[in-house]
Amino acid sequence: MHEILEGIIGIIKEGGKILLSASSLHAKGIAKGGHANFVTEYDSKIQSFLIEKLSILLPEANFIGEENGLSSFMEKDRKGYAFVIDPIDGTNNFMKGYEPSVISIGLFRDGIPFIGVIYNPFQDQVYYALRGHGAYLNGIRIHSSLDPLESSLVSVGTAPYLPELHPKMFDLCALYLSHGMDLRRSGSAAMDLCMLASGKTGLFFEPVLGLWDFAAGAVICEEAGCIITDLDGNPLTYDSSSSILCVSEGVSRGRYLPDDLRKA
Ligand code: IPD
Ligand code: CA
Ligand code: CA
């Protein structure tokens, strides 16, 4: 499996060149439905490139991708291998020239992600993990923070495309702002998970994310000592969209679930 991991890293870096070659200011978004939810020609171009190259690397694998009608999880994806791809995570950042925007690739075996690779081409940073073998940034082992919640930064995903979730999201922001050090919002959920895995933040939450947003980051975070669940503390099922709550090793040693903090 190490060769497959190396292969994915090579391919994701090539995909990163397509992202860097784009003049984001000329990347016009086409509305996809929902509030401010766009796809650019680069999302489609990068996804097609990744599928072409990854099919050569692992011909038996299925694909789940955010774009071009590949976004639903089928029964066949539960068996054997499936790549779960977000060709640009942070499309709105990309359209505005506001970094980061990253590429995220998860590889599932029998319905569970076991390889995660996330590439931020703007800083040439590749975060990756193979389940059971630790998490890495550009070849250097990373680990989540040991700090407790009160001295940790909390990053929030705003669920921007679903206005009906915004009141809940702002309630959670208030809760975690009062229990943590401060809030951050990057515009890329995959990057938020990498910040957690590499010890910069202590907790990340978002009221809903697609499988492609969190699949790769979940493996990287777990291999860095984090705990990832939904916002009620239930284990992830990895077969559809979900709310996400991910905490560092240090934060996981105390209370951090919304219901527990409200009672405290
Ligand atoms: C989005 C980003 C954002 C998160 C949204 C995601 P996209 O992905 O990860 O940070 O708040 O929920 O959908 O649309 O840029 O691939
Ligand atoms: Ca995404
Ligand atoms: Ca995307």
Side-chain angles (χ1 to χ4, degrees):
M1 273 304 143
H2 282 97
E3 285 113 80
I4 299 285
L5 173 62
E6 290 302 321
I8 298 171
I9 292 172
I11 291 167
I12 210 169
K13 286 190 163 189
E14 288 298 308
K17 287 186 192 158
I18 304 177
L19 189 50
L20 287 182
S21 74
S23 166
S24 58
L25 300 177
H26 296 121
K28 293 268 178 304
I30 300 163
K32 283 205 289 188
H35 169 79
N37 189 9
F38 298 101
V39 56
T40 71
E41 62 177 298
Y42 292 97
D43 297 77
S44 308
K45 212 185 247 183
I46 295 169
Q47 181 167 298
S48 304
F49 170 83
L50 296 175
I51 291 176
E52 184 195 327
K53 298 292 175 189
L54 293 169
S55 318
I56 299 169
L57 183 70
L58 199 55
E60 64 268 44
N62 296 318
F63 285 91
I64 300 165
E66 187 176 5
E67 312 302 343
N68 308 342
L70 275 179
S71 59
S72 33
F73 188 95
M74 310 287 199
E75 204 40 48
K76 66 178 168 46
D77 301 318
R78 280 211 170 280
K79 298 190 191 85
Y81 294 108
F83 284 107
V84 178
I85 297 173
D86 194 342
I88 304 181
D89 185 56
T91 294
N92 290 358
N93 281 357
F94 173 63
M95 287 169 59
K96 295 292 175 187
Y98 183 106
E99 294 166 21
S101 305
V102 305
I103 302 176
S104 175
I105 301 177
L107 179 58
F108 282 48
R109 187 167 48 200
D110 299 332
I112 304 292
F114 76 107
I115 286 181
V117 184
I118 293 172
Y119 184 50
N120 175 1
F122 298 95
Q123 297 187 344
D124 192 25
Q125 289 178 326
V126 57
Y127 293 84
Y128 57 92
L130 168 62
R131 201 172 281 287
H133 294 266
Y136 293 83
L137 162 57
N138 289 351
I140 296 168
R141 187 88 184 241
I142 51 174
H143 201 279
S144 65
S145 166
L146 297 178
D147 293 339
L149 182 55
E150 57 267 29
S151 53
S152 294
L153 290 171
V154 170
S155 63
V156 50
T158 54
Y161 314 136
L162 295 167
E164 64 275 22
L165 293 176
H166 294 172
K168 173 180 179 174
M169 183 271 299
F170 280 119
D171 275 356
L172 289 166
C173 285
L175 183 73
Y176 284 119
L177 181 56
S178 67
H179 286 274
M181 192 186 217
D182 197 356
L183 299 181
R184 297 288 182 267
R185 161 65 172 156
S186 76
S188 159
M191 200 60 208
D192 289 325
L193 292 169
C194 292
M195 291 291 106
L196 193 45
S198 54
K200 310 276 194 312
T201 56
L203 184 148
F204 164 70
F205 74 88
E206 182 145 3
V208 74
L209 281 174
L211 199 53
W212 45 84
D213 296 312
F214 65 80
V219 189
I220 297 169
C221 280
E222 288 189 325
E223 286 301 314
C226 302
I227 306 281
I228 189 163
T229 61
D230 68 14
L231 272 163
D232 296 316
N234 301 309
L236 301 181
T237 54
Y238 294 109
D239 54 4
S240 61
S241 300
S242 174
S243 65
I244 293 290
L245 177 60
C246 189
V247 294
S248 63
E249 185 173 333
V251 171
S252 75
R253 291 179 183 157
R255 289 172 185 236
Y256 64 86
L257 288 173
D259 282 351
D260 291 346
L261 292 177
R262 283 193 193 101
K263 278 182 221 143

